[in-house]
Amino acid sequence: MDRIVPINSADDIFPQYKGTPVGHLLEYHNLGFPFKTHLHAEILIGMCMDYREELRIPDEFAYVIRAGGGNLRHSEFYVSYAIAVGGVSSIALFTHTDCGMVNVMSRKERFISGLVEKAGCNREWAERLFMSTATSFEIGNEIDFVLSEANRLRKVYPKILVAPMLYRVEDDLLYLLRE
């Protein structure tokens, strides 16, 4: 069974997301629905910092946290704030195709030499930084990561709707994931 589900019509949106901020996100971004006026954020979007991802959403619809690979493991305070103070009821969490946080260890030398050459950093410091942090930011397989991160967030925030998704940089569309 293919886990990646394209959203080409409103009928493709999973029943648990219809009429929710997650469903509205898919309608705005993929289906080109007209923007409604939003007076406050309704959803938190966790997505990668990658420059190739651009969302089509109305103003004041969402809080957006961008972190490598869409990894929110180090953003619990921000997520909690968006829920507790900002009042969001849903989280859309997505990773994307061709993500640089997949197989980070293979980029060790490029990371270190890039910091030395481009930023003027000390080589030993750059190597220590990479070795002490790379594994906590490595996401492995994009799909497996976002599904496991969605499950982790559901356990922490059991009343919040959490939707794992994939952003395909090849077509700039969001896809739902079968769990």
PDB file of all heavy atoms in Angstrom, residues 113-148:
ATOM      1  N   SER A 113      34.294  21.731   6.513  1.00  0.00           N
ATOM      2  CA  SER A 113      35.072  22.611   5.627  1.00  0.00           C
ATOM      3  C   SER A 113      34.282  23.862   5.259  1.00  0.00           C
ATOM      4  O   SER A 113      34.858  24.943   5.106  1.00  0.00           O
ATOM      5  CB  SER A 113      35.542  21.864   4.379  1.00  0.00           C
ATOM      6  OG  SER A 113      34.462  21.399   3.627  1.00  0.00           O
ATOM      7  N   GLY A 114      32.964  23.728   5.148  1.00  0.00           N
ATOM      8  CA  GLY A 114      32.130  24.899   4.858  1.00  0.00           C
ATOM      9  C   GLY A 114      32.186  25.924   5.980  1.00  0.00           C
ATOM     10  O   GLY A 114      32.261  27.132   5.731  1.00  0.00           O
ATOM     11  N   LEU A 115      32.150  25.458   7.234  1.00  0.00           N
ATOM     12  CA  LEU A 115      32.258  26.400   8.357  1.00  0.00           C
ATOM     13  C   LEU A 115      33.636  27.046   8.404  1.00  0.00           C
ATOM     14  O   LEU A 115      33.757  28.237   8.710  1.00  0.00           O
ATOM     15  CB  LEU A 115      31.960  25.690   9.678  1.00  0.00           C
ATOM     16  CG  LEU A 115      30.485  25.465   9.987  1.00  0.00           C
ATOM     17  CD1 LEU A 115      30.321  24.680  11.287  1.00  0.00           C
ATOM     18  CD2 LEU A 115      29.735  26.783  10.069  1.00  0.00           C
ATOM     19  N   VAL A 116      34.657  26.272   8.107  1.00  0.00           N
ATOM     20  CA  VAL A 116      36.017  26.823   8.121  1.00  0.00           C
ATOM     21  C   VAL A 116      36.188  27.850   7.006  1.00  0.00           C
ATOM     22  O   VAL A 116      36.621  28.984   7.249  1.00  0.00           O
ATOM     23  CB  VAL A 116      37.057  25.684   7.994  1.00  0.00           C
ATOM     24  CG1 VAL A 116      38.455  26.238   7.773  1.00  0.00           C
ATOM     25  CG2 VAL A 116      37.013  24.779   9.225  1.00  0.00           C
ATOM     26  N   GLU A 117      35.820  27.475   5.783  1.00  0.00           N
ATOM     27  CA  GLU A 117      36.050  28.339   4.625  1.00  0.00           C
ATOM     28  C   GLU A 117      35.084  29.522   4.538  1.00  0.00           C
ATOM     29  O   GLU A 117      35.490  30.642   4.238  1.00  0.00           O
ATOM     30  CB  GLU A 117      35.956  27.512   3.341  1.00  0.00           C
ATOM     31  CG  GLU A 117      37.056  26.473   3.228  1.00  0.00           C
ATOM     32  CD  GLU A 117      36.782  25.441   2.149  1.00  0.00           C
ATOM     33  OE1 GLU A 117      35.900  25.678   1.292  1.00  0.00           O
ATOM     34  OE2 GLU A 117      37.439  24.387   2.173  1.00  0.00           O
ATOM     35  N   LYS A 118      33.806  29.273   4.793  1.00  0.00           N
ATOM     36  CA  LYS A 118      32.796  30.314   4.579  1.00  0.00           C
ATOM     37  C   LYS A 118      32.546  31.179   5.809  1.00  0.00           C
ATOM     38  O   LYS A 118      32.132  32.327   5.671  1.00  0.00           O
ATOM     39  CB  LYS A 118      31.480  29.677   4.128  1.00  0.00           C
ATOM     40  CG  LYS A 118      31.609  28.964   2.798  1.00  0.00           C
ATOM     41  CD  LYS A 118      30.347  28.225   2.441  1.00  0.00           C
ATOM     42  CE  LYS A 118      30.554  27.462   1.143  1.00  0.00           C
ATOM     43  NZ  LYS A 118      29.435  26.605   0.804  1.00  0.00           N
ATOM     44  N   ALA A 119      32.761  30.617   7.006  1.00  0.00           N
ATOM     45  CA  ALA A 119      32.440  31.369   8.225  1.00  0.00           C
ATOM     46  C   ALA A 119      33.673  31.728   9.039  1.00  0.00           C
ATOM     47  O   ALA A 119      33.575  32.456  10.014  1.00  0.00           O
ATOM     48  CB  ALA A 119      31.467  30.571   9.089  1.00  0.00           C
ATOM     49  N   GLY A 120      34.833  31.183   8.663  1.00  0.00           N
ATOM     50  CA  GLY A 120      36.055  31.481   9.399  1.00  0.00           C
ATOM     51  C   GLY A 120      36.163  30.762  10.727  1.00  0.00           C
ATOM     52  O   GLY A 120      36.919  31.174  11.611  1.00  0.00           O
ATOM     53  N   CYS A 121      35.411  29.691  10.887  1.00  0.00           N
ATOM     54  CA  CYS A 121      35.434  28.940  12.146  1.00  0.00           C
ATOM     55  C   CYS A 121      36.700  28.100  12.271  1.00  0.00           C
ATOM     56  O   CYS A 121      37.313  27.724  11.275  1.00  0.00           O
ATOM     57  CB  CYS A 121      34.222  28.018  12.234  1.00  0.00           C
ATOM     58  SG  CYS A 121      32.663  28.904  12.311  1.00  0.00           S
ATOM     59  N   ASN A 122      37.040  27.813  13.487  1.00  0.00           N
ATOM     60  CA  ASN A 122      38.147  26.919  13.793  1.00  0.00           C
ATOM     61  C   ASN A 122      37.734  25.501  13.399  1.00  0.00           C
ATOM     62  O   ASN A 122      36.643  25.056  13.735  1.00  0.00           O
ATOM     63  CB  ASN A 122      38.442  27.031  15.300  1.00  0.00           C
ATOM     64  CG  ASN A 122      39.456  26.037  15.758  1.00  0.00           C
ATOM     65  OD1 ASN A 122      39.143  24.860  15.928  1.00  0.00           O
ATOM     66  ND2 ASN A 122      40.670  26.520  15.984  1.00  0.00           N
ATOM     67  N   ARG A 123      38.617  24.784  12.701  1.00  0.00           N
ATOM     68  CA  ARG A 123      38.291  23.442  12.208  1.00  0.00           C
ATOM     69  C   ARG A 123      37.947  22.495  13.352  1.00  0.00           C
ATOM     70  O   ARG A 123      36.995  21.716  13.263  1.00  0.00           O
ATOM     71  CB  ARG A 123      39.431  22.877  11.370  1.00  0.00           C
ATOM     72  CG  ARG A 123      39.090  21.502  10.826  1.00  0.00           C
ATOM     73  CD  ARG A 123      40.074  21.031   9.744  1.00  0.00           C
ATOM     74  NE  ARG A 123      39.611  19.799   9.172  1.00  0.00           N
ATOM     75  CZ  ARG A 123      38.691  19.678   8.219  1.00  0.00           C
ATOM     76  NH1 ARG A 123      38.125  20.753   7.714  1.00  0.00           N
ATOM     77  NH2 ARG A 123      38.324  18.500   7.761  1.00  0.00           N
ATOM     78  N   GLU A 124      38.694  22.526  14.442  1.00  0.00           N
ATOM     79  CA  GLU A 124      38.427  21.620  15.561  1.00  0.00           C
ATOM     80  C   GLU A 124      37.055  21.906  16.180  1.00  0.00           C
ATOM     81  O   GLU A 124      36.320  20.995  16.534  1.00  0.00           O
ATOM     82  CB  GLU A 124      39.526  21.724  16.625  1.00  0.00           C
ATOM     83  CG  GLU A 124      40.866  21.163  16.179  1.00  0.00           C
ATOM     84  CD  GLU A 124      41.622  22.071  15.194  1.00  0.00           C
ATOM     85  OE1 GLU A 124      41.440  23.321  15.240  1.00  0.00           O
ATOM     86  OE2 GLU A 124      42.363  21.528  14.351  1.00  0.00           O
ATOM     87  N   TRP A 125      36.725  23.187  16.301  1.00  0.00           N
ATOM     88  CA  TRP A 125      35.417  23.547  16.834  1.00  0.00           C
ATOM     89  C   TRP A 125      34.303  23.039  15.916  1.00  0.00           C
ATOM     90  O   TRP A 125      33.308  22.478  16.377  1.00  0.00           O
ATOM     91  CB  TRP A 125      35.317  25.064  17.003  1.00  0.00           C
ATOM     92  CG  TRP A 125      33.967  25.483  17.507  1.00  0.00           C
ATOM     93  CD1 TRP A 125      33.568  25.551  18.803  1.00  0.00           C
ATOM     94  CD2 TRP A 125      32.835  25.857  16.712  1.00  0.00           C
ATOM     95  NE1 TRP A 125      32.251  25.944  18.873  1.00  0.00           N
ATOM     96  CE2 TRP A 125      31.771  26.144  17.593  1.00  0.00           C
ATOM     97  CE3 TRP A 125      32.609  25.986  15.347  1.00  0.00           C
ATOM     98  CZ2 TRP A 125      30.519  26.547  17.157  1.00  0.00           C
ATOM     99  CZ3 TRP A 125      31.355  26.385  14.908  1.00  0.00           C
ATOM    100  CH2 TRP A 125      30.330  26.658  15.818  1.00  0.00           C
ATOM    101  N   ALA A 126      34.472  23.244  14.610  1.00  0.00           N
ATOM    102  CA  ALA A 126      33.463  22.808  13.636  1.00  0.00           C
ATOM    103  C   ALA A 126      33.275  21.294  13.700  1.00  0.00           C
ATOM    104  O   ALA A 126      32.141  20.800  13.645  1.00  0.00           O
ATOM    105  CB  ALA A 126      33.861  23.248  12.228  1.00  0.00           C
ATOM    106  N   GLU A 127      34.360  20.558  13.841  1.00  0.00           N
ATOM    107  CA  GLU A 127      34.255  19.104  13.923  1.00  0.00           C
ATOM    108  C   GLU A 127      33.555  18.682  15.217  1.00  0.00           C
ATOM    109  O   GLU A 127      32.700  17.787  15.207  1.00  0.00           O
ATOM    110  CB  GLU A 127      35.635  18.458  13.839  1.00  0.00           C
ATOM    111  CG  GLU A 127      35.549  16.959  13.766  1.00  0.00           C
ATOM    112  CD  GLU A 127      36.849  16.302  13.351  1.00  0.00           C
ATOM    113  OE1 GLU A 127      37.802  17.012  12.968  1.00  0.00           O
ATOM    114  OE2 GLU A 127      36.890  15.064  13.415  1.00  0.00           O
ATOM    115  N   ARG A 128      33.893  19.334  16.338  1.00  0.00           N
ATOM    116  CA  ARG A 128      33.220  19.016  17.602  1.00  0.00           C
ATOM    117  C   ARG A 128      31.724  19.312  17.513  1.00  0.00           C
ATOM    118  O   ARG A 128      30.898  18.536  18.000  1.00  0.00           O
ATOM    119  CB  ARG A 128      33.836  19.791  18.764  1.00  0.00           C
ATOM    120  CG  ARG A 128      35.086  19.159  19.339  1.00  0.00           C
ATOM    121  CD  ARG A 128      35.473  19.768  20.696  1.00  0.00           C
ATOM    122  NE  ARG A 128      35.478  21.224  20.753  1.00  0.00           N
ATOM    123  CZ  ARG A 128      36.493  21.996  20.353  1.00  0.00           C
ATOM    124  NH1 ARG A 128      37.615  21.454  19.906  1.00  0.00           N
ATOM    125  NH2 ARG A 128      36.415  23.309  20.446  1.00  0.00           N
ATOM    126  N   LEU A 129      31.393  20.445  16.900  1.00  0.00           N
ATOM    127  CA  LEU A 129      29.980  20.804  16.739  1.00  0.00           C
ATOM    128  C   LEU A 129      29.251  19.722  15.953  1.00  0.00           C
ATOM    129  O   LEU A 129      28.189  19.242  16.364  1.00  0.00           O
ATOM    130  CB  LEU A 129      29.836  22.154  16.032  1.00  0.00           C
ATOM    131  CG  LEU A 129      28.390  22.560  15.696  1.00  0.00           C
ATOM    132  CD1 LEU A 129      27.586  22.792  16.966  1.00  0.00           C
ATOM    133  CD2 LEU A 129      28.390  23.794  14.810  1.00  0.00           C
ATOM    134  N   PHE A 130      29.806  19.339  14.839  1.00  0.00           N
ATOM    135  CA  PHE A 130      29.155  18.324  14.007  1.00  0.00           C
ATOM    136  C   PHE A 130      29.002  17.017  14.766  1.00  0.00           C
ATOM    137  O   PHE A 130      27.913  16.440  14.811  1.00  0.00           O
ATOM    138  CB  PHE A 130      29.941  18.094  12.708  1.00  0.00           C
ATOM    139  CG  PHE A 130      29.249  17.135  11.785  1.00  0.00           C
ATOM    140  CD1 PHE A 130      28.322  17.606  10.876  1.00  0.00           C
ATOM    141  CD2 PHE A 130      29.507  15.773  11.843  1.00  0.00           C
ATOM    142  CE1 PHE A 130      27.649  16.720  10.029  1.00  0.00           C
ATOM    143  CE2 PHE A 130      28.848  14.884  11.012  1.00  0.00           C
ATOM    144  CZ  PHE A 130      27.923  15.369  10.100  1.00  0.00           C
ATOM    145  N   MET A 131      30.086  16.554  15.362  1.00  0.00           N
ATOM    146  CA  MET A 131      30.062  15.250  16.029  1.00  0.00           C
ATOM    147  C   MET A 131      29.135  15.238  17.248  1.00  0.00           C
ATOM    148  O   MET A 131      28.549  14.212  17.578  1.00  0.00           O
ATOM    149  CB  MET A 131      31.474  14.818  16.419  1.00  0.00           C
ATOM    150  CG  MET A 131      32.378  14.551  15.211  1.00  0.00           C
ATOM    151  SD  MET A 131      31.660  13.431  13.988  1.00  0.00           S
ATOM    152  CE  MET A 131      31.605  11.908  14.931  1.00  0.00           C
ATOM    153  N   SER A 132      28.975  16.363  17.914  1.00  0.00           N
ATOM    154  CA  SER A 132      28.141  16.382  19.117  1.00  0.00           C
ATOM    155  C   SER A 132      26.663  16.631  18.815  1.00  0.00           C
ATOM    156  O   SER A 132      25.820  16.398  19.680  1.00  0.00           O
ATOM    157  CB  SER A 132      28.651  17.430  20.105  1.00  0.00           C
ATOM    158  OG  SER A 132      28.494  18.731  19.572  1.00  0.00           O
ATOM    159  N   THR A 133      26.338  17.094  17.614  1.00  0.00           N
ATOM    160  CA  THR A 133      24.941  17.441  17.337  1.00  0.00           C
ATOM    161  C   THR A 133      24.322  16.754  16.129  1.00  0.00           C
ATOM    162  O   THR A 133      23.095  16.640  16.063  1.00  0.00           O
ATOM    163  CB  THR A 133      24.787  18.961  17.144  1.00  0.00           C
ATOM    164  OG1 THR A 133      25.628  19.382  16.066  1.00  0.00           O
ATOM    165  CG2 THR A 133      25.140  19.724  18.411  1.00  0.00           C
ATOM    166  N   ALA A 134      25.094  16.309  15.205  1.00  0.00           N
ATOM    167  CA  ALA A 134      24.541  15.791  13.941  1.00  0.00           C
ATOM    168  C   ALA A 134      23.537  14.668  14.149  1.00  0.00           C
ATOM    169  O   ALA A 134      22.481  14.652  13.503  1.00  0.00           O
ATOM    170  CB  ALA A 134      25.662  15.335  13.013  1.00  0.00           C
ATOM    171  N   THR A 135      23.825  13.752  15.043  1.00  0.00           N
ATOM    172  CA  THR A 135      22.907  12.621  15.214  1.00  0.00           C
ATOM    173  C   THR A 135      21.553  13.042  15.782  1.00  0.00           C
ATOM    174  O   THR A 135      20.546  12.398  15.499  1.00  0.00           O
ATOM    175  CB  THR A 135      23.527  11.526  16.098  1.00  0.00           C
ATOM    176  OG1 THR A 135      23.894  12.107  17.349  1.00  0.00           O
ATOM    177  CG2 THR A 135      24.737  10.904  15.440  1.00  0.00           C
ATOM    178  N   SER A 136      21.498  14.134  16.538  1.00  0.00           N
ATOM    179  CA  SER A 136      20.201  14.556  17.068  1.00  0.00           C
ATOM    180  C   SER A 136      19.369  15.291  16.017  1.00  0.00           C
ATOM    181  O   SER A 136      18.171  15.481  16.211  1.00  0.00           O
ATOM    182  CB  SER A 136      20.371  15.415  18.320  1.00  0.00           C
ATOM    183  OG  SER A 136      20.968  16.644  18.009  1.00  0.00           O
ATOM    184  N   PHE A 137      19.982  15.692  14.917  1.00  0.00           N
ATOM    185  CA  PHE A 137      19.253  16.371  13.854  1.00  0.00           C
ATOM    186  C   PHE A 137      19.034  15.499  12.620  1.00  0.00           C
ATOM    187  O   PHE A 137      18.251  15.854  11.745  1.00  0.00           O
ATOM    188  CB  PHE A 137      19.955  17.676  13.470  1.00  0.00           C
ATOM    189  CG  PHE A 137      19.926  18.675  14.587  1.00  0.00           C
ATOM    190  CD1 PHE A 137      21.044  18.902  15.379  1.00  0.00           C
ATOM    191  CD2 PHE A 137      18.773  19.379  14.880  1.00  0.00           C
ATOM    192  CE1 PHE A 137      21.018  19.807  16.414  1.00  0.00           C
ATOM    193  CE2 PHE A 137      18.732  20.294  15.923  1.00  0.00           C
ATOM    194  CZ  PHE A 137      19.850  20.506  16.698  1.00  0.00           C
ATOM    195  N   GLU A 138      19.701  14.374  12.552  1.00  0.00           N
ATOM    196  CA  GLU A 138      19.513  13.398  11.467  1.00  0.00           C
ATOM    197  C   GLU A 138      18.090  12.877  11.544  1.00  0.00           C
ATOM    198  O   GLU A 138      17.620  12.489  12.612  1.00  0.00           O
ATOM    199  CB  GLU A 138      20.501  12.245  11.652  1.00  0.00           C
ATOM    200  CG  GLU A 138      20.190  11.004  10.869  1.00  0.00           C
ATOM    201  CD  GLU A 138      20.547  11.096   9.405  1.00  0.00           C
ATOM    202  OE1 GLU A 138      21.710  11.413   9.103  1.00  0.00           O
ATOM    203  OE2 GLU A 138      19.656  10.859   8.579  1.00  0.00           O
ATOM    204  N   ILE A 139      17.367  12.877  10.423  1.00  0.00           N
ATOM    205  CA  ILE A 139      15.992  12.391  10.468  1.00  0.00           C
ATOM    206  C   ILE A 139      15.823  11.008   9.848  1.00  0.00           C
ATOM    207  O   ILE A 139      14.739  10.440   9.924  1.00  0.00           O
ATOM    208  CB  ILE A 139      14.993  13.382   9.826  1.00  0.00           C
ATOM    209  CG1 ILE A 139      15.205  13.508   8.327  1.00  0.00           C
ATOM    210  CG2 ILE A 139      15.049  14.722  10.534  1.00  0.00           C
ATOM    211  CD1 ILE A 139      14.065  14.208   7.603  1.00  0.00           C
ATOM    212  N   GLY A 140      16.847  10.449   9.242  1.00  0.00           N
ATOM    213  CA  GLY A 140      16.671   9.150   8.597  1.00  0.00           C
ATOM    214  C   GLY A 140      15.764   9.291   7.394  1.00  0.00           C
ATOM    215  O   GLY A 140      15.778  10.298   6.694  1.00  0.00           O
ATOM    216  N   ASN A 141      14.922   8.300   7.160  1.00  0.00           N
ATOM    217  CA  ASN A 141      13.955   8.340   6.072  1.00  0.00           C
ATOM    218  C   ASN A 141      12.886   9.393   6.372  1.00  0.00           C
ATOM    219  O   ASN A 141      12.330   9.419   7.471  1.00  0.00           O
ATOM    220  CB  ASN A 141      13.332   6.943   5.947  1.00  0.00           C
ATOM    221  CG  ASN A 141      12.186   6.912   4.976  1.00  0.00           C
ATOM    222  OD1 ASN A 141      11.092   7.364   5.282  1.00  0.00           O
ATOM    223  ND2 ASN A 141      12.444   6.389   3.799  1.00  0.00           N
ATOM    224  N   GLU A 142      12.585  10.239   5.405  1.00  0.00           N
ATOM    225  CA  GLU A 142      11.651  11.342   5.616  1.00  0.00           C
ATOM    226  C   GLU A 142      10.277  10.872   6.103  1.00  0.00           C
ATOM    227  O   GLU A 142       9.726  11.419   7.060  1.00  0.00           O
ATOM    228  CB  GLU A 142      11.439  12.157   4.323  1.00  0.00           C
ATOM    229  CG  GLU A 142      12.654  12.846   3.799  1.00  0.00           C
ATOM    230  CD  GLU A 142      13.304  12.091   2.649  1.00  0.00           C
ATOM    231  OE1 GLU A 142      13.266  10.843   2.643  1.00  0.00           O
ATOM    232  OE2 GLU A 142      13.869  12.758   1.769  1.00  0.00           O
ATOM    233  N   ILE A 143       9.723   9.880   5.434  1.00  0.00           N
ATOM    234  CA  ILE A 143       8.372   9.412   5.765  1.00  0.00           C
ATOM    235  C   ILE A 143       8.349   8.793   7.158  1.00  0.00           C
ATOM    236  O   ILE A 143       7.485   9.117   7.977  1.00  0.00           O
ATOM    237  CB  ILE A 143       7.872   8.386   4.724  1.00  0.00           C
ATOM    238  CG1 ILE A 143       7.925   8.956   3.308  1.00  0.00           C
ATOM    239  CG2 ILE A 143       6.472   7.885   5.089  1.00  0.00           C
ATOM    240  CD1 ILE A 143       6.976  10.061   3.018  1.00  0.00           C
ATOM    241  N   ASP A 144       9.294   7.898   7.422  1.00  0.00           N
ATOM    242  CA  ASP A 144       9.336   7.257   8.741  1.00  0.00           C
ATOM    243  C   ASP A 144       9.527   8.292   9.844  1.00  0.00           C
ATOM    244  O   ASP A 144       8.914   8.201  10.907  1.00  0.00           O
ATOM    245  CB  ASP A 144      10.457   6.217   8.807  1.00  0.00           C
ATOM    246  CG  ASP A 144      10.193   5.017   7.919  1.00  0.00           C
ATOM    247  OD1 ASP A 144       9.013   4.777   7.553  1.00  0.00           O
ATOM    248  OD2 ASP A 144      11.166   4.312   7.578  1.00  0.00           O
ATOM    249  N   PHE A 145      10.360   9.288   9.581  1.00  0.00           N
ATOM    250  CA  PHE A 145      10.593  10.317  10.593  1.00  0.00           C
ATOM    251  C   PHE A 145       9.320  11.098  10.906  1.00  0.00           C
ATOM    252  O   PHE A 145       8.954  11.277  12.058  1.00  0.00           O
ATOM    253  CB  PHE A 145      11.699  11.299  10.179  1.00  0.00           C
ATOM    254  CG  PHE A 145      11.752  12.479  11.102  1.00  0.00           C
ATOM    255  CD1 PHE A 145      12.328  12.354  12.348  1.00  0.00           C
ATOM    256  CD2 PHE A 145      11.158  13.681  10.757  1.00  0.00           C
ATOM    257  CE1 PHE A 145      12.325  13.426  13.244  1.00  0.00           C
ATOM    258  CE2 PHE A 145      11.150  14.750  11.639  1.00  0.00           C
ATOM    259  CZ  PHE A 145      11.741  14.617  12.882  1.00  0.00           C
ATOM    260  N   VAL A 146       8.643  11.606   9.880  1.00  0.00           N
ATOM    261  CA  VAL A 146       7.484  12.459  10.136  1.00  0.00           C
ATOM    262  C   VAL A 146       6.353  11.661  10.780  1.00  0.00           C
ATOM    263  O   VAL A 146       5.619  12.188  11.622  1.00  0.00           O
ATOM    264  CB  VAL A 146       7.033  13.214   8.861  1.00  0.00           C
ATOM    265  CG1 VAL A 146       6.272  12.331   7.892  1.00  0.00           C
ATOM    266  CG2 VAL A 146       6.236  14.456   9.216  1.00  0.00           C
ATOM    267  N   LEU A 147       6.223  10.378  10.448  1.00  0.00           N
ATOM    268  CA  LEU A 147       5.210   9.551  11.097  1.00  0.00           C
ATOM    269  C   LEU A 147       5.541   9.331  12.571  1.00  0.00           C
ATOM    270  O   LEU A 147       4.664   9.424  13.438  1.00  0.00           O
ATOM    271  CB  LEU A 147       5.070   8.210  10.373  1.00  0.00           C
ATOM    272  CG  LEU A 147       4.442   8.271   8.980  1.00  0.00           C
ATOM    273  CD1 LEU A 147       4.529   6.912   8.290  1.00  0.00           C
ATOM    274  CD2 LEU A 147       3.012   8.771   9.031  1.00  0.00           C
ATOM    275  N   SER A 148       6.816   9.077  12.871  1.00  0.00           N
ATOM    276  CA  SER A 148       7.193   8.873  14.275  1.00  0.00           C
ATOM    277  C   SER A 148       7.107  10.173  15.065  1.00  0.00           C
ATOM    278  O   SER A 148       6.687  10.184  16.224  1.00  0.00           O
ATOM    279  CB  SER A 148       8.586   8.248  14.402  1.00  0.00           C
ATOM    280  OG  SER A 148       9.573   9.152  13.980  1.00  0.00           O
TER     281      SER A 148
END
